Amino acid sequence: MKEQKYTGIKIITALITGAGILRLSAMLLRDRGPEMAMAVPAYLISIAVMVLLAVFFGEKDRITEFRRGWKTFFTRGWYILMVSGVFALMTAIGLSQEKEAVFSPVKFAGFAVVCLLTACFEEIWFRGIIQGILEKYGKAKFQGFWKTACITSAMFGAMHLMNLMHRPDYIIGTVTQVLYAFSLGMILSMILYSGGNIGVAILLHAVFNFSGSLSEVFVRQAGTQAGDMPIASAVFILVLMMPGVIVARRMYNKIEREPVFARKRFG
């Protein structure tokens, strides 16, 4: 019971800390855009705080392992890469019909860096800290990693409800993001579980973020986007993304059949 209570306290602390950082960053970067000079320092400070929290909770090994498991970028991450390719293709098709399309190499590079830093922050937060805490606790409680991945991914998806704080009208878009973030999180959880390299999860997450928001690099922005996500767009995204849960389950079954020495274990 004491271990369960301590586990709960650590998870709540991690959730509150991460959410607080996101809220503070949003306030600092409001109306400045991700390409502004102060964005990168803000992200780096946020990542540093999460790294310190991971060390404090004894999850240092989960966020510092970069030596092995890089092949899982393709062998386990193929579904994320495929979906990212579809998003990029759809963006290219849309840009071919966009009269106001523009391109700036500086903006392109800045946006890529921001996508990478965002992925780094979120992966340390969820796959590094929260999944690490739950994985240790779940060895005795959950009888397998699947429930750990589901809980971690559910928290990761629910975190996107924070978008409603600054865009309360964006209901369909936010719910869609919560659902596809759960699916994305399930695959990323399995990738870290099998390969033990959080760098792979970070890079795949960054590729997904970049391809999904690529139009922001090419389309001239005229203030805050108004209106909710069209239902057709939401359905398209969910049809494309939600099978990732099935992919994650098959991946989990395959991982469990592998010898223990074939994958990196923590805890």
Side-chain angles (χ1 to χ4, degrees):
M1 182 64 67
K2 184 177 180 180
E3 180 185 354
Q4 180 178 357
K5 181 178 179 180
Y6 186 50
T7 297
I9 292 174
K10 290 197 291 186
I11 291 176
I12 291 174
T13 301
L15 288 173
I16 293 176
T17 302
I21 291 173
L22 284 180
R23 185 59 180 164
L24 180 60
S25 298
M27 293 174 61
L28 293 175
L29 300 175
R30 184 179 299 167
D31 300 326
R32 294 179 181 272
E35 73 278 10
M36 299 301 293
M38 71 174 298
V40 171
Y43 278 105
L44 290 177
I45 293 173
S46 300
I47 292 171
V49 172
M50 298 310 292
V51 169
L52 291 175
L53 188 63
V55 173
F56 179 74
F57 284 154
E59 304 299 335
K60 178 182 176 181
D61 290 346
R62 297 183 65 87
I63 64 172
T64 58
E65 176 58 70
F66 297 102
R67 295 170 296 177
R68 55 177 293 170
W70 285 104
K71 66 179 182 179
T72 58
F73 183 85
F74 296 103
T75 59
R76 309 284 194 197
W78 62 269
Y79 191 83
I80 295 176
L81 294 175
M82 180 195 71
V83 170
S84 299
V86 173
F87 284 150
L89 178 61
M90 296 299 293
T91 298
I93 294 174
L95 289 174
S96 65
Q97 304 171 354
E98 175 62 54
K99 296 181 180 179
E100 295 296 326
V102 294
F103 176 75
S104 166
V106 175
K107 187 176 181 180
F108 183 90
F111 187 72
V113 170
V114 167
C115 285
L116 180 61
L117 293 178
T118 301
C120 187
F121 170 78
E122 292 182 351
E123 288 307 306
I124 292 175
W125 184 9
F126 286 95
R127 253 62 63 182
I129 298 175
I130 293 177
Q131 181 170 305
I133 295 171
L134 284 172
E135 188 172 348
K136 291 177 181 177
Y137 172 71
K139 286 182 178 179
K141 184 70 174 179
F142 297 150
Q143 299 180 351
F145 179 75
W146 180 253
K147 289 184 179 179
T148 293
C150 288
I151 295 173
T152 303
S153 301
M155 291 181 182
F156 176 58
M159 177 267 296
H160 292 82
L161 289 171
M162 292 180 64
N163 293 336
L164 292 174
M165 297 178 68
H166 61 89
R167 290 199 63 184
D169 61 319
Y170 200 62
I171 299 175
I172 296 176
T174 299
V175 172
T176 300
Q177 193 173 20
V178 168
L179 293 174
Y180 76 66
F182 172 78
S183 178
L184 174 68
M186 290 297 294
I187 298 177
L188 293 174
S189 290
M190 294 305 158
I191 288 172
L192 182 58
Y193 181 60
S194 64
N197 187 341
I198 198 170
V200 176
I202 291 172
L203 286 180
L204 284 169
H205 195 154
V207 169
F208 179 84
N209 286 349
F210 187 81
S211 64
S213 305
L214 194 56
S215 61
E216 295 184 25
V217 180
F218 294 96
V219 179
R220 193 184 307 277
Q221 301 296 312
T224 304
Q225 182 181 0
D228 205 341
M229 175 182 287
I231 294 179
S233 298
V235 171
F236 173 79
I237 292 173
L238 293 179
V239 168
L240 194 62
M241 283 298 301
M242 296 316 294
V245 178
I246 300 175
V247 172
R249 180 65 196 190
R250 291 180 176 178
M251 195 183 304
Y252 172 71
N253 292 337
K254 184 176 181 181
I255 292 170
E256 289 301 292
R257 291 194 296 267
E258 294 176 348
V260 175
F261 62 80
R263 57 184 185 273
K264 174 69 176 179
R265 289 287 195 165
F266 296 101

